[in-house]
Amino acid sequence: LALCRGRVVRVPKGPLIRVVGTEVVIPCSVSDYDGPSEQNFDWEFSRETDFVRIVSTWDSTFTSEEYQKRVGHGDIKLRRSSNDAVELVIRNIQPTDQGRYKCSTPSTDATVQGNYDAEVQVKVISDGLSVSGSKARSSMSVRLSEGDSFKLRCSAITTSPEHTHLHVTWQIKSGSTWRDVLSLTHEGKFQSGPDYEERYRNGDIRLDTGVNDTYRLSVSQASSVDGGAYRCLVSEWVRGADSLWQKIQEKTVEIASVAIQQTDVVISTSNVSVTERDSLDLTCNITTDRSGIFQAEVIWYFSASPDDTLSDAQVLLSMDPDSIVSDSTLISLSHVDRNSYRLLVRDVDVEDSGYYFCQAAVWVPLHNGSWHKVVERTSAPVSVVVTALEPDYEVFLNASQAPKFSDDPTELNCRITNAQDTEANIRFTVSWYYRQRLPSDDVVTEQLLATMDADWTLLLGDRSRERTQNGEIIFSKKAIDTFSLRIQWTSESDRGDYFCVISAWTRHRNNSWVKSKDVTSASVSIFWATQDYTLTVEAVKLKPFFVAGHTFEMTCKVSSKNIKTPRYSVLITAEKPLTDQSNPNGTTRIISLNQDSVVRLEDWTDQTRVDGVVLEKVQENEFRYRMYQTQISDAGLYRCVVTAWSPGGGGMWREAVNGLSNPIQIDFQTSGPVFNVSVHSDNPTIYQGELADLLCIVTMEGMALEPDDMSFDVSWFAVRSFALDREPILLASLDRRGIVTQSRRNGSSDLSLERISPLEFRLRVHGCEDHDFGNHYCVVTPWVRSATGAWQREPDIKAKPIFLSVKMDVLNAFKYPLLIGIGLATVIGLLSCLIGYCSSRWCCKKEVQETRRERRRLMSMEMD
């Protein structure tokens, strides 16, 4: 291969057959060369033996004398296609140009290898192709209607001595360019143009061959795009020496100019406005110049939007080609003349407003007697507006009941007045609105309270939904022309402007109701001046002086302002001295009487005097409190807490204002003994599990009493902290009758409480645990028997706390675990030894046979 490598010059494989008078292009290229990339070429021609120089790319003097004129005129020229290729172009080739053409390349190689020239034979034949159109004239004019069919003929024949094929193409001129319609190629195949593929598959465009070498173009269902100039383009092809087809010449002839008259469908009128109950008249016109027999199929459509498609639109009426109209009661379709079709809609309604359009199809008869649809068009939509017959009426709103105070009823009546043109097909509904009143000029949007639809169904707004469901707001229709809004208990939030809207509804042909008109009333203001509620309470002690054991009595007189029909609830409270431990907060709720005169004991816990306090209503604004058999522990400041109530919605009472009376003091002057209490423990620090002893010791100062004349209630408390910052926990209590009460405990320790002397009480904690630590104290309530034999309760006395510390005994805590561990370890060790001994004694015993050892003497050194 290395030896064969070198310059290669190539020309087409001959012979090249060309038709006289046409242009010949002979390419020549070179490859596998050295030197510069751009190569030069020389062309020579020979009819027999000698070559005559034609043209060169690098030498202007290369051309021989007989070719200088043709080269100078450009009839023969070289056209470079690349650095290593050129084309020899000969225009208007003649029979004298038939012969051998040689392409040569001057050498630029370092060594001479390969070929430096190549030859090709060119054969010139006569022109035997003839193309013609109609025999009558060169080009005819055809005028057709849309949907018609037409045929065009073209004749093409060749008498070439060579075996050639013809390629026939029908073209149409659109603007300034020609487009292919349908072709019969030189290989005998049909090929449609890019815009006619679908119509060719459907059979609307055909190309047929006939006698006398004719080629007929048939077009069915002609449309506007088929209008224009048509020509027949015929090219002649021959198979070359390389078995490839080569086009040797091409001719055209214009056949006809086709004009297509479009069929148009329009509605005679533009936008239409009619009044309700009138008739709507529309005409669909078909514009066509078709003079033959045809029939039209017309369909009228209705759509709510101009952009709706036919599938979305509603079919009103249709007329088939046989003039048969679909049935309808209020709509009719008639054939006015040859090209006009009238739609008549009687008794139009508001719902008939929308867009109307018609679709028309033209049918023509065929030779076999059947009908063929040639064209179909749809008109532009026409807007139809139906103006409703609005009833004429006015709306008047007034307040038949206006509130003067909060919780008063409010009633508004919305009436229809001066109603005209209100026939049986008119129905009225109401909508109620509220607008808040602001002191500034801010714009406030109205809030919907309720509205009625066409069937008088009430739809509630967010503002009134809950209150209407509870019966606080009532919407009603009092008469045929009167609607009512009633607020049973008007609140301050209801103050504002109210207005109503009366809507008129019209019944259509399908018995549906459509709103035709709204009329808004003037607003009515609901407002009343409000003043602050005032409540005054005065407490009066009826007996200025009394002693323990007597009855305490006081009255509470109430006066109020700006409260409508008030009722009062009364609560009696007592503020005890700080030394009283029964109520650390200082204020005790004793007894109450509500606005419905129901009495209730609040925090009164003295079981011996359950009926010792009474609260009663003397007058509407006067209440009396009595406390029987008063005791020294009842000393304190007593008040009346009064709440004024006003009627609310739904028979409920609404709290208006609270008032507090002046205090009434109960103070006893006594000369009896003074009691003191202290807590003592011999061992406040103990270990877990031990017994803790706490003593509560009562001492007396002043007048001495017999043990039978005094008694004590003792309660023990514990605070589980060092700083007394937690709530005290009741441990146990011992009342003056000797009954012990213990609180529920979570630990395993136990408590006991006992009286060891008339003035000493002992609390024992058995089996103390770590959670029993803390500050412990006792609270003592003394009871003293008076000279009359009645027991008087003295104020509670609280002792100073003592801190009980519980420690853990380390030795006792670890004694038993250590003993148990040592014992278990000893038992496990002995058991292991026993298991090992038994295993080695019985399970692993083997009999070992001792091999007999031979007894030999040692040999002496000499014998060795």
Side-chain angles (χ1 to χ4, degrees):
L1 293 175
L3 295 175
C4 297
R5 184 179 179 183
R7 178 185 292 258
V8 179
V9 179
R10 294 185 181 87
V11 293
K13 190 176 181 179
L16 300 180
I17 300 175
R18 296 295 184 266
V19 178
V20 63
T22 61
E23 182 179 87
V24 178
V25 178
I26 307 174
C28 178
S29 63
V30 60
S31 62
D32 300 332
Y33 58 88
D34 297 332
S37 61
E38 185 176 280
Q39 294 290 299
N40 291 308
F41 298 85
D42 297 334
W43 282 89
E44 297 176 280
F45 170 72
S46 172
R47 291 188 181 89
E48 295 179 356
T49 57
D50 298 334
F51 281 91
V52 180
R53 293 177 293 178
I54 301 176
V55 67
S56 174
T57 58
W58 61 285
D59 187 1
S60 60
T61 62
F62 179 79
T63 306
S64 62
E65 183 177 357
E66 64 177 292
Y67 285 100
Q68 287 182 357
K69 184 176 180 180
R70 296 178 67 182
V71 172
H73 290 164
D75 293 337
I76 299 176
K77 62 182 178 179
L78 285 180
R79 186 166 58 200
R80 182 179 290 276
S81 57
S82 64
N83 289 336
D84 55 1
V86 295
E87 294 176 344
L88 175 63
V89 181
I90 303 175
R91 294 191 301 184
N92 193 18
I93 191 171
Q94 298 298 319
T96 57
D97 295 325
Q98 179 173 301
R100 291 182 293 121
Y101 288 82
K102 181 173 68 174
C103 175
S104 304
T105 59
S107 176
T108 59
D109 305 328
T111 59
V112 178
Q113 289 182 353
N115 67 311
Y116 287 83
D117 57 49
E119 297 181 7
V120 61
Q121 179 72 27
V122 176
K123 184 178 180 179
V124 181
I125 62 176
S126 60
D127 183 7
L129 178 63
S130 175
V131 181
S132 62
S134 175
K135 295 181 178 180
R137 46 188 174 180
S138 59
S139 179
M140 62 178 179
S141 178
V142 180
R143 187 176 183 85
L144 303 170
S145 297
E146 190 174 12
D148 289 347
S149 301
F150 65 91
K151 298 179 181 180
L152 301 177
R153 291 177 176 83
C154 170
S155 177
I157 187 172
T158 180
T159 59
S160 173
E162 298 292 332
H163 182 68
T164 60
H165 288 193
L166 297 183
H167 184 123
V168 180
T169 301
W170 282 95
Q171 294 181 323
I172 182 174
K173 189 175 184 180
S174 299
S176 60
T177 60
W178 291 89
R179 295 183 293 114
D180 291 347
V181 179
L182 189 60
S183 301
L184 177 61
T185 66
H186 53 277
E187 295 178 335
K189 299 179 181 179
F190 289 100
Q191 183 177 351
S192 60
D195 300 331
Y196 294 86
E197 294 179 356
E198 184 176 357
R199 297 181 66 185
Y200 171 70
R201 290 194 298 267
N202 296 336
D204 293 338
I205 297 179
R206 302 192 314 275
L207 178 57
D208 304 319
T209 59
V211 295
N212 299 326
D213 299 315
T214 59
Y215 299 88
R216 183 175 63 244
L217 175 67
S218 301
V219 179
S220 302
Q221 299 288 326
S223 62
S224 59
V225 297
D226 295 324
Y230 285 80
R231 73 177 183 180
C232 183
L233 173 65
V234 181
S235 57
E236 191 172 8
W237 295 70
V238 65
R239 191 184 295 273
D242 54 359
S243 299
L244 298 178
W245 288 97
Q246 301 175 5
K247 184 169 66 173
I248 59 177
Q249 69 167 328
E250 184 179 81
K251 291 183 179 180
T252 62
V253 59
E254 291 195 10
I255 303 301
S257 177
V258 178
I260 306 296
Q261 177 66 32
Q262 294 187 12
T263 299
D264 199 7
V265 177
V266 297
I267 300 178
S268 58
T269 58
S270 57
N271 296 339
V272 181
S273 178
V274 294
T275 306
E276 191 178 10
R277 308 304 181 195
D278 289 347
S279 297
L280 173 64
D281 191 353
L282 299 175
T283 303
C284 180
N285 296 321
I286 304 175
T287 303
T288 180
D289 60 349
R290 191 179 301 276
S291 59
I293 299 175
F294 72 91
Q295 291 182 355
E297 177 185 6
V298 177
I299 303 176
W300 278 94
Y301 290 92
F302 169 78
S303 173
S305 171
D307 300 327
D308 287 349
T309 60
L310 289 179
S311 60
D312 299 329
Q314 175 187 355
V315 178
L316 297 178
L317 275 182
S318 62
M319 177 183 290
D320 62 7
D322 297 329
S323 298
I324 298 177
V325 182
S326 57
D327 295 334
S328 180
T329 304
L330 299 175
I331 307 176
S332 63
L333 178 59
S334 59
H335 193 176
V336 180
D337 55 29
R338 177 181 173 88
N339 297 331
S340 300
Y341 297 84
R342 178 189 179 191
L343 174 70
L344 182 63
V345 182
R346 306 177 187 87
D347 193 20
V348 294
D349 210 339
V350 176
E351 62 183 8
D352 295 326
S353 298
Y355 296 87
Y356 293 75
F357 54 94
C358 65
Q359 183 186 57
V362 177
W363 296 72
V364 296
L366 299 179
H367 299 292
N368 57 4
S370 63
W371 290 85
H372 173 64
K373 183 168 65 174
V374 295
V375 66
E376 187 176 69
R377 286 286 183 273
T378 303
S379 70
V382 171
S383 175
V384 175
V385 178
V386 179
T387 304
L389 291 174
E390 294 184 354
D392 187 13
Y393 60 94
E394 297 178 357
V395 178
F396 175 72
L397 177 66
N398 71 311
S400 58
Q401 280 186 314
K404 297 180 179 180
F405 294 95
S406 179
D407 297 327
D408 281 354
T410 300
E411 185 169 352
L412 302 176
N413 293 323
C414 184
R415 290 188 296 132
I416 304 171
T417 61
N418 301 328
Q420 299 178 5
D421 298 331
T422 56
E423 54 189 28
N425 292 325
I426 299 297
R427 177 179 290 180
F428 293 102
T429 61
V430 67
S431 299
W432 291 95
Y433 291 90
Y434 164 80
R435 186 186 299 115
Q436 186 180 4
R437 196 182 229 187
L438 294 180
S440 60
D441 295 334
D442 296 341
V443 178
V444 180
T445 58
E446 58 270 3
Q447 302 180 45
L448 176 66
L449 298 178
T451 184
M452 292 182 181
D453 56 14
D455 58 356
W456 290 311
T457 300
L458 186 65
L459 304 176
L460 301 175
D462 295 336
R463 178 179 177 85
S464 63
R465 179 175 291 110
E466 183 177 356
R467 296 178 65 187
T468 303
Q469 294 173 352
N470 295 336
E472 299 179 23
I473 299 179
I474 300 174
F475 299 95
S476 61
K477 184 178 182 181
K478 288 187 172 182
I480 192 172
D481 59 348
T482 304
F483 298 90
S484 173
L485 163 63
R486 180 178 177 84
I487 304 177
Q488 298 285 68
W489 303 279
T490 310
S491 63
E492 295 182 5
S493 60
D494 295 325
R495 294 187 300 179
D497 295 333
Y498 292 79
F499 63 93
C500 62
V501 177
I502 297 296
S503 301
W505 298 75
T506 305
R507 184 165 56 186
H508 288 182
R509 292 191 302 265
N510 59 357
N511 291 325
S512 64
W513 294 89
V514 177
K515 184 186 296 186
S516 59
K517 188 177 182 180
D518 285 334
V519 177
T520 304
S521 71
S523 61
V524 172
S525 178
I526 300 299
F527 184 81
W528 66 91
T530 59
Q531 296 180 357
D532 294 337
Y533 296 144
T534 302
L535 183 64
T536 303
V537 183
E538 180 184 5
V540 178
K541 183 167 60 173
L542 299 181
K543 294 181 180 181
F545 302 102
F546 65 94
V547 294
H550 291 185
T551 299
F552 169 72
E553 186 176 359
M554 75 174 186
T555 59
C556 298
K557 294 184 179 181
V558 184
S559 61
S560 62
K561 293 181 180 180
N562 305 323
I563 303 176
K564 179 186 175 183
T565 60
R567 285 191 182 181
Y568 306 103
S569 62
V570 181
L571 172 66
I572 303 299
T573 63
E575 299 177 11
K576 298 297 185 67
L578 295 179
T579 56
D580 188 356
Q581 301 298 324
S582 63
N583 189 356
N585 297 326
T587 301
T588 302
R589 298 161 54 93
I590 300 176
I591 192 172
S592 65
L593 183 145
N594 66 7
Q595 66 272 17
D596 295 324
S597 299
V598 178
V599 179
R600 175 185 175 185
L601 287 175
E602 298 292 339
D603 297 335
W604 184 261
T605 58
D606 193 346
Q607 298 299 323
T608 60
R609 294 192 298 163
V610 175
D611 298 329
V613 289
V614 175
L615 179 60
E616 57 184 351
K617 184 177 181 181
V618 180
Q619 297 180 8
E620 192 64 33
N621 61 341
E622 183 177 353
F623 302 87
R624 181 165 53 205
Y625 170 67
R626 286 194 182 99
M627 183 167 54
Y628 301 99
Q629 297 180 358
T630 56
Q631 299 179 1
I632 297 177
S633 59
D634 295 328
L637 298 178
Y638 287 75
R639 299 177 186 268
C640 297
V641 179
V642 179
T643 302
W645 301 79
S646 61
M652 305 298 290
W653 290 94
R654 181 173 59 87
E655 181 178 340
V657 66
N658 295 320
L660 185 65
S661 72
N662 55 300
I664 300 297
Q665 185 175 10
I666 297 179
D667 189 12
F668 298 96
Q669 300 294 332
T670 62
S671 59
V674 176
F675 297 94
N676 296 313
V677 179
S678 62
V679 177
H680 174 73
S681 176
D682 294 335
N683 188 13
T685 301
I686 58 175
Y687 291 95
Q688 288 185 356
E690 292 183 351
L691 175 66
D693 282 342
L694 299 176
L695 295 178
C696 181
I697 304 172
V698 181
T699 60
M700 288 189 304
E701 296 180 1
M703 183 179 66
L705 295 176
E706 292 295 331
D708 293 337
D709 294 334
M710 58 182 177
S711 182
F712 302 96
D713 291 337
V714 180
S715 299
W716 280 92
F717 295 89
V719 180
R720 306 301 185 189
S721 67
F722 295 94
L724 296 173
D725 54 353
R726 296 185 181 179
E727 289 293 329
I729 301 173
L730 175 64
L731 299 179
S733 64
L734 176 66
D735 64 8
R736 58 194 179 98
R737 298 180 181 85
I739 299 175
V740 177
T741 303
Q742 292 188 13
S743 61
R744 186 175 180 180
R745 299 176 57 81
N746 295 326
S748 61
S749 61
D750 197 5
L751 296 176
S752 64
L753 179 58
E754 59 183 342
R755 178 179 179 181
I756 59 177
S757 70
L759 298 178
E760 290 183 356
F761 301 87
R762 181 169 60 191
L763 173 68
R764 283 185 172 181
V765 182
H766 304 272
C768 289
E769 297 180 354
D770 54 353
H771 60 77
D772 290 322
F773 86 100
N775 289 282
H776 292 67
Y777 64 92
C778 64
V779 176
V780 177
T781 304
W783 291 80
V784 179
R785 183 157 49 187
S786 63
T788 61
W791 289 93
Q792 296 292 329
R793 179 178 176 176
E794 299 289 333
D796 294 343
I797 307 171
K798 177 182 176 183
K800 184 178 180 182
I802 185 173
F803 189 80
L804 179 64
S805 177
V806 181
K807 296 184 178 181
M808 183 177 65
D809 190 352
V810 178
L811 180 60
N812 290 331
F814 290 97
K815 178 172 63 177
Y816 292 106
L818 287 175
L819 292 176
I820 293 172
I822 293 172
L824 289 176
T826 302
V827 172
I828 293 173
L830 292 176
L831 183 59
S832 300
C833 293
L834 180 60
I835 293 173
Y837 174 77
C838 294
S839 299
S840 63
R841 184 69 178 171
W842 287 287
C843 299
C844 301
K845 183 178 181 182
K846 290 184 179 181
E847 294 182 359
V848 181
Q849 295 181 358
E850 183 179 357
T851 57
R852 184 175 182 181
R853 183 179 300 173
E854 294 182 359
R855 296 181 179 179
R856 293 183 181 181
R857 290 185 178 180
L858 296 177
M859 297 176 66
S860 63
M861 296 296 293
E862 290 81 359
M863 291 179 66
D864 188 30

